[in-house]
Structures are given as structure tokens and as C-alpha cells.
Amino acid sequence: MKKMLLSLLAVILCASASAQGQVKEKLSRAPVAVMTSQGVLVSWRYLQADGNAEFSLYRDGLFLDEHITDVTNYLDADGRAGAEYKVVSSNGDEATCVAWDNMFIKISISRPAPRNSKIGDLKGEYRPDDISVGDVDGDGDYELIVKWLPSNQRGSDADGFTSATYIDCYEMDGTQIWRIDMGDGVRSGHHTTPLLVYDFDGDGKAEVILKTAPDSKDGLGSYVTQAGNATIQAIEPSAFDVNTDGRVTAGAEFLTVFNGETGAAMHTIFYSPSRSMADFPSGGTSYSRDWGDAYTYNYGERYNAAVAYLDGTDRLPTAIMQRGGLTACYIWAVDWNGTALKTRWLHKGTSATEWHVIDFADTELANQTTNPVTSQGKSCYGQGAGGISIGDVDDDGLDDICIGGATIRHDGILLCATGLGHGETHTLADLCPDRPGLEVMMPHATSPFGWDVHDATTGEVLFSANGDGANGSGLACDFVPGKRGSEFWSSADDIIRSCYDGNAVSEKKPDTGFRIYWTGDPYDQTFDGRYDEVHGCSPRICSWDTQSNAVITFQEFAEYDMPQTCNNAKATPCLQADLMGDWREEIIMTKYETDWSDLNCELLIFFTPEPTDYKVPCLMEDHMYRMAVASQNSSCNQPPHLGFYLPDYLGVDGNTYATQTASHAPEATTAVKNVRGKASADKAQAARKTIRNGTVIIVKDGKEYNAAGLNKNQ
């Protein structure tokens, strides 16, 4: 009886939180129709404003069904590729889509031409990396903002010359809208250019906010410096230094806001802090030894970025820029009002025992002495992770900023810190739905290694473990239906543990990549690109089988046009989000290539072929989820999580729930397994034979042929 009352209360709280946490973003119905093994699956968005709306469905003008209320998907057994489906709402709107010929669609986009690095003739070839979305023209449909990284990109922990990064905007059909040239003053790599794509000024159209350099050019071809004050306008495009290791060691650094429709730079200000650790610089600056990395230019070149509603969801959002985290850690809150970028506050974690908050006038707003934290850590110094998360951790209606081992309050004050050190990944979510507030699961890359689960508000460590070495990654999500709340696992061992008490749930874990809604169950599955230098990229989805109480592989993607993930060994999708159709999530990857000089490139957007019995509002309307999508492209990016507990919202009893185990994916597009080496290493290899799925495959010059000599990559 007590558990039933708790579940009922959780449902009420979740519904209330969902209603109060609406993101004011115009969203269309976005229907989509995909081929399955059973016919065509049509689905569409259910929005919070729909209430008790009913839906009717037509195929090529032929009536199929009406008074659809309990779900927002329909399996048309007689459907065919190319058929037009129309969804009509009793609220008065209607929308159409054309059925795909598989469970994915290809979008052809224009690749930048190969480009030399700043010094030397090392030419980089381009491949799409992280992607963000935003409605740049206010029509209710998302556009794609694509980050192009060159083949010679480098992480901040590695030397080497790099070619410039490009940022493109595309319609969903591949029409290019603009291209930003980041220039050589921003080193290309996964740590250096997080994208913020969001409507910051409330005009219904998304802007793009990025860290830029003197030679960065906007979508109109103008230097971003021309959108700054007189001091910035006078800075020459060459006003930065690149050393013999390919590191940018000195020069002016900026933050620029771009018009989402045109790509034009609207305002540019000096970046804070600069690489010299100056708070608000007025010109070129050199890298400081105080980052603690002996001038390897590593710790001070780690960046994350996020969007947060620091005044509540009924006010304008704020851009959150993070620099550092392995040692010194700075969190910079910047507002855009449609006219000017303006600093709200700057949080400085300058040592393990000291932090300060200042405003643009260098007025101290708070510090460690006047605002001591109660958790075991004393500062955010050294507590960062490879990503950043936003959530209202203390339930006051205002967003807070979690960097992994520390949480910064909405006003810049340190809310808590564990003192357990930094890590590559972390999860912020309602991991324990019967506890107040949000929790954090974090694996650790520094001694005592291991992992911890802690309260995101107080920093109280609920349980933890030490390890023998760096624990590279971890994931927490609601994977096992029969266990209340979420489970977690990490690269340290094979065990799935409960987020409530840390006890073992299973001796066999799934992949340690992204969580995802795919099967139609109201529980999480996992997605992982499964990349290594021997086998290449073999993406798959794993789920929990309640019949066998074990992890199973639910869906493999290799035979569906050979998709490729990004971020090297982390093997993440370019983007995972609820972009269209019902509440399940889409996966964007790229088609595997051996020739990066081809100026045509294909994005692959995968949509689930699985029907579902559940109706859930579009996940992008959930505030915490939408904020997570906005920051998904930061460094070691993380999957989005909902701000409420979905099984309670749907009234599902995990103890009796039976998970789906059979995939309804359509016929594969190729009989060739997606087994290959590094994406750029196949280009010059000699011819060799192998047998896969009973088929003789010949690999020559990076291309695969069958025995008849037909190119298997075409």
C-alpha cells in the first residue's frame, strides 16, 4: 500500500513538474513514416498543449483510422514506401509526411574542401562530427547545426597541427543555409568548440553562440571582430600565435553570438577567462602556468557549454561557458538580450580550497569564506567531467549547473563539491525517484578512482568505491524494470548496480555509451557505436530481457548502409534526440566513407521501427531533457535524461512489466557486416580476402568488393 501511495504521489509530482517545466519552443506535429518488417509505422508528436486531442490518419487520401487517443503511432500493414500520410488533430491542425523506404533516411550535405593547417602543409579532410538542432527561422521545425572536424583534429591532450573547424546550418532536406569558418585561432578538436544553439532572446528563432578567434569568419564571410567594440574591431585577424607543436599559445579570444537564419555575427566580446586566466581581458594574452600543466596547453583548453534558465523557465535563458575542470575551473554565465552579450557572473574555482564569484565590473559577489559549502569538497577545482549538465537540483524553480563532482547554484555560488576528483563522464538525473532532488553518478579518472553516486544539491556521497586505475566512463539510467529507479555501471567492471544502494543487480552490463528510448518500452535501452581500431564502428542497441533477466542485443545497425559514429573511441552519435514523430529518440550518424575528399557527404537519421502502446509528450518539451540536448555536443558528450521518472508518469509497474525482445526492423540494405579499421586508415591498404555471412569480400584501396567485382560501398 505504501509503495502504491508513493507511486501515485510521484505521478502527481511528475505531471506537475512537466507542466511547469515547459520550454517555450514552437514545435510542429512532425509526422514520420518508416518501413518495418510488418508494414509502415506512422508516428507524430503529442504536445503538452494537446490535452485530450484525438487524431485521424489518412494514406494517399484514403481514411485509415480516427479517434486515436491512447497512442501517437499507427502500424499500417498495407503501407508502402513513398505513400503520403496525413495526420489530422481534433485541435484543428494537420501535417503530412512521405513514407521512407527503410528505418533511416539519407540527407546529403556539402563537405568543406580539404584545407591546410596554419603552419606546414598538413591538409585536413572533413567529416561531420557533433550536431545540434534549433529552429533558426521560427517555423516550428528544427534545422541541423553541423560541426565539421578535419582528419588532423587533435584532443587538447595531444600535440599536432590542425586545420580549421567549420560550423554549418542545414535544413532537414540538406539545403545549406550558411557556413562559419572558425579559423586557425581556435584549434580543432573535441574539447574546444562546444555549440550552443537556442533561442536566447525569446524572438522565436534560435541563435548560435561559440568561442571564436581573430580570424573566425561568420556566415556572411565577415570577421567576427567586426561585431565587437572599437577595441575588438581593431584587432588584426593574425593576432594569435601557434607554436611548433601546433598549439594556440597566445592571442585574443572571443565569444560571438550568430544570427541563426543568416549566420551573421551579431555581437562579439572578449572571452572570460582568457588563457592567461585574466577575468575580462582587453587584448591578446598568453597561456598561464597556473593551469598546472607545465605549458602543455591542455588543462586550460578544455571547454564545455550549456543553456540554463537561471531566473526560471518564464524568463530568458543564459549561455553557460565552462573552461577547465581538471585543475582550475571557471563557469561563465552570459546573457543575450537581442542587442548585446552581457556577463551575469563568473565563478572561479582557483584552488582546491578557494572559489569566488565576480561580475563584469570585477565586483565580488560571493566567495568561499562568506558562503561555505557543507559537502566534503571545498571548490569545483579539479572536479570537472567531460560534459556539463543542467537541472533544478534543489527544486527552487531555477536551474543549477553540474560539472560532475561539483554543482554551481543559479547565482554562481558553489552549491556542493564531493572532492573526489574529475572524470570523463557523469549522469545528472532523478536516479532515485523516491529521494528529493536529483542525483549524480560519476566514474573517476583520478585517485582513488572508482565511482560514486551523490546528492546533486548537498554533495553527500550516497555510496562509492575505489579502483585500481582510471575509470574511463560510466552510465546511469532506468535499464532494469524490476528495480526501482535507475541502475549504473562503468568501465571498471561488468556489474550493473542499483542507484539506491549500490548493490549488484546483474553480473553482466550492457554497453557504456548512451541511454535511449527505442523499443517502445517505458524503460531505457543503451546505444553504443562500439568503435575500435581493429573492428571499426558497429553500432547497436542493447536492452534488458525480463524473461531471461539478462542483457540482450536488440538492434544492430551495421547492415543498414554502414553508419559511422563520431568522437573516436567514445563512438557517440552525431546527435541523439526526440527530433520527430512520437516520443522515442532518433539517432544521427554518418555513412561510412573511405574518401573524405568527396564533397558530397551523407547523414543518416535512424527512426525506431517499433510500435508502442504509450503516449508521452514530445521529450523536447521536458525542460531538463531539452537543456541536455543543447549541451550534448560538449567534449565527452552525454545522452539526455528526462526530468521526471517515466514509469511513474505512465503508471507502469516494473515488477510485472515484460520487455519487448523482438526487433521489427525492415530488411537490411547490405549483406556486408560493418567491420573495418579506422575511418582514414583503409585508404592505402593492399587487397585482401575475407568471408563474412558466407560471402567472399575483397578489400582493396579501402573499398569492399564482392566476388563479381561490385563495389560494396556504393
Side-chain angles (χ1 to χ4, degrees):
M1 182 64 178
K2 181 179 179 181
K3 185 173 183 179
M4 291 178 61
L5 290 175
L6 286 172
S7 296
L8 179 60
L9 177 60
V11 171
I12 295 172
L13 289 174
C14 286
S16 174
S18 181
Q20 294 175 4
Q22 294 185 25
V23 175
K24 296 175 179 62
E25 189 172 41
K26 180 181 178 182
L27 293 173
S28 65
R29 192 63 64 190
V32 63
V34 301
M35 193 62 64
T36 77
S37 61
Q38 300 174 308
V40 171
L41 179 68
V42 188
S43 76
W44 55 94
R45 282 178 180 149
Y46 171 69
L47 303 173
Q48 292 177 0
D50 285 333
N52 296 320
E54 298 179 347
F55 298 94
S56 300
L57 186 65
Y58 300 82
R59 184 212 323 124
D60 292 330
L62 175 68
F63 169 76
L64 293 179
D65 201 355
E66 63 181 349
H67 305 306
I68 304 174
T69 59
D70 294 335
V71 296
T72 54
N73 67 105
Y74 181 91
L75 183 62
D76 180 11
D78 297 321
R80 58 175 179 80
E84 182 180 84
Y85 288 88
K86 180 170 69 173
V87 179
V88 180
S89 165
S90 61
N91 287 340
D93 65 271
E94 60 180 57
T96 61
C97 65
V98 175
W100 302 354
D101 62 0
N102 211 287
M103 65 174 176
F104 67 94
I105 190 172
K106 301 179 185 179
I107 299 176
S108 181
I109 60 176
S110 178
R111 189 196 317 269
R115 176 169 170 171
N116 285 342
S117 58
K118 174 68 174 176
I119 299 178
D121 58 358
L122 182 63
K123 182 171 289 188
E125 296 176 328
Y126 288 89
R127 178 173 175 266
D129 201 78
D130 290 324
I131 293 176
S132 192
V133 293
D135 181 5
V136 303
D137 53 14
D139 65 354
D141 294 321
Y142 288 126
E143 281 73 43
L144 301 173
I145 313 300
V146 179
K147 181 195 305 181
W148 293 93
L149 287 185
S151 52
N152 56 10
Q153 65 87 18
R154 297 287 188 274
S156 295
D157 55 349
D159 291 337
F161 293 101
T162 73
S163 300
T165 297
Y166 291 98
I167 309 296
D168 284 3
C169 180
Y170 297 93
E171 298 280 5
M172 279 290 186
D173 64 0
T175 301
Q176 185 174 345
I177 302 175
W178 47 255
R179 171 167 290 166
I180 293 170
D181 179 348
M182 296 298 293
D184 295 308
V186 178
R187 194 166 183 258
S188 292
H190 293 126
H191 297 127
T192 48
T193 305
L195 302 169
L196 288 185
V197 184
Y198 203 75
D199 179 10
F200 287 95
D201 58 9
D203 67 351
K205 300 178 181 181
E207 293 81 38
V208 179
I209 296 180
L210 293 168
K211 181 181 184 287
T212 56
D215 65 336
S216 299
K217 293 181 180 179
D218 69 9
L220 302 182
S222 300
Y223 288 112
V224 299
T225 52
Q226 300 313 298
N229 59 24
T231 300
I232 292 176
Q233 290 182 25
I235 295 175
E236 294 294 326
S238 59
F240 62 92
D241 296 332
V242 178
N243 71 6
T244 55
D245 292 323
R247 306 281 192 164
V248 182
T249 61
E253 300 172 280
F254 308 119
L255 185 71
T256 301
V257 56
F258 298 88
N259 184 296
E261 276 193 286
T262 66
M266 294 187 287
H267 193 208
T268 295
I269 61 176
F270 285 111
Y271 194 89
S272 185
S274 69
R275 57 177 61 91
S276 70
M277 293 186 168
D279 298 331
F280 300 103
S282 58
T285 52
S286 299
Y287 196 84
S288 171
R289 70 172 67 237
D290 292 334
W291 287 108
D293 54 6
Y295 288 116
T296 60
Y297 308 96
N298 179 13
Y299 296 165
E301 290 298 304
R302 303 289 183 118
Y303 301 89
N304 291 313
V307 180
Y309 282 78
L310 302 181
D311 295 325
T313 55
D314 60 340
R315 305 291 292 275
L316 292 179
T318 297
I320 305 296
M321 314 302 294
Q322 177 187 348
R323 186 171 199 164
L326 277 68
T327 52
C329 183
Y330 292 78
I331 310 294
W332 185 27
V334 185
D335 294 320
W336 166 249
N337 61 9
T339 302
L341 291 166
K342 183 179 180 181
T343 292
R344 176 182 288 245
W345 47 256
L346 175 67
H347 179 102
K348 307 191 299 180
T350 53
S351 77
T353 59
E354 185 178 9
W355 59 266
H356 301 266
V357 183
I358 62 172
D359 63 14
F360 182 75
D362 204 23
T363 301
E364 187 164 74
L365 306 178
N367 59 53
Q368 170 70 21
T369 303
T370 57
N371 296 277
V373 291
T374 56
S375 53
Q376 64 190 67
K378 301 299 182 184
S379 168
C380 64
Y381 184 97
Q383 304 304 304
I388 188 170
S389 299
I390 303 299
D392 178 10
V393 303
D394 52 4
D395 200 28
D396 63 357
L398 309 176
D399 279 342
D400 307 295
I401 302 120
C402 177
I403 64 167
T407 303
I408 310 300
R409 207 168 66 182
H410 64 272
D411 54 6
I413 290 175
L414 182 69
L415 196 56
C416 69
T418 65
L420 296 178
H422 77 85
E424 293 300 318
T425 62
H426 75 283
T427 299
L428 171 70
D430 192 8
L431 302 178
C432 305
D434 300 323
R435 290 187 80 256
L438 304 176
E439 295 79 33
V440 178
M441 181 269 163
M442 185 175 177
H444 295 284
T446 53
S447 180
F449 308 113
W451 42 259
D452 81 270
V453 175
H454 67 266
D455 187 295
T457 301
T458 66
E460 175 191 0
V461 176
L462 305 181
F463 45 87
S464 63
N466 296 339
D468 297 327
N471 195 2
S473 61
L475 179 65
C477 63
D478 189 20
F479 188 73
V480 182
K483 297 297 180 180
R484 180 76 174 156
S486 294
E487 297 76 41
F488 73 95
W489 51 95
S490 70
S491 56
D493 56 39
D494 289 332
I495 298 175
I496 300 177
R497 295 179 172 85
S498 167
C499 284
Y500 271 102
D501 53 24
N503 290 336
V505 173
S506 172
E507 299 298 319
K508 179 66 175 178
K509 68 184 179 185
D511 296 323
T512 309
F514 272 36
R515 53 133 308 276
I516 189 172
Y517 293 124
W518 184 267
T519 65
D521 296 325
Y523 296 92
D524 293 293
Q525 295 83 52
T526 63
F527 171 83
D528 199 305
R530 301 171 64 233
Y531 172 90
D532 64 64
E533 295 188 2
V534 176
H535 302 97
C537 187
S538 301
R540 72 177 178 185
I541 287 174
C542 291
S543 66
W544 183 262
D545 179 3
T546 52
Q547 183 173 357
S548 62
N549 283 323
V551 178
I552 62 170
T553 297
F554 184 88
Q555 179 69 62
E556 294 196 72
F557 294 91
E559 296 180 357
Y560 293 88
D561 227 28
M562 302 180 74
Q564 178 90 16
T565 52
C566 62
N567 288 308
N568 297 336
K570 186 166 172 56
T572 61
C574 297
L575 180 68
Q576 175 192 305
D578 181 10
L579 300 175
M580 59 188 77
D582 65 22
W583 57 276
R584 272 81 58 78
E585 295 166 285
E586 287 70 63
I587 305 168
I588 302 182
M589 294 182 274
T590 59
K591 182 179 173 61
Y592 172 65
E593 303 170 301
T594 57
D595 184 4
W596 289 11
S597 64
D598 187 342
L599 296 186
N600 290 318
C601 178
E602 288 183 339
L603 299 179
L604 308 180
I605 302 181
F606 285 84
F607 188 92
T608 179
E610 312 301 332
T612 181
D613 295 330
Y614 300 101
K615 182 175 73 173
V616 179
C618 175
L619 304 189
M620 296 291 260
E621 288 194 296
D622 179 69
H623 176 67
M624 188 168 170
Y625 182 94
R626 184 64 182 90
M627 297 300 94
V629 170
S631 64
Q632 191 182 132
N633 59 81
S634 287
S635 296
C636 293
N637 50 356
Q638 295 297 108
H641 291 259
L642 287 172
F644 61 95
Y645 189 54
L646 185 58
D648 281 354
Y649 176 82
L650 295 172
V652 174
D653 183 358
N655 290 316
T656 59
Y657 192 84
T659 55
Q660 181 179 338
T661 57
S663 169
H664 297 100
E667 184 178 351
T669 58
T670 174
V672 180
K673 285 280 188 181
N674 190 14
V675 180
R676 55 189 178 270
K678 291 190 294 185
S680 60
D682 284 343
K683 295 181 179 180
Q685 64 179 326
R688 57 182 174 82
K689 285 187 179 181
T690 186
I691 297 178
R692 288 185 239 145
N693 288 354
T695 302
V696 176
I697 302 298
I698 301 172
V699 180
K700 183 178 182 180
D701 295 330
K703 297 180 180 180
E704 297 181 339
Y705 301 82
N706 62 19
L710 299 177
N711 188 347
K712 304 299 291 183
N713 285 343
Q714 298 295 321

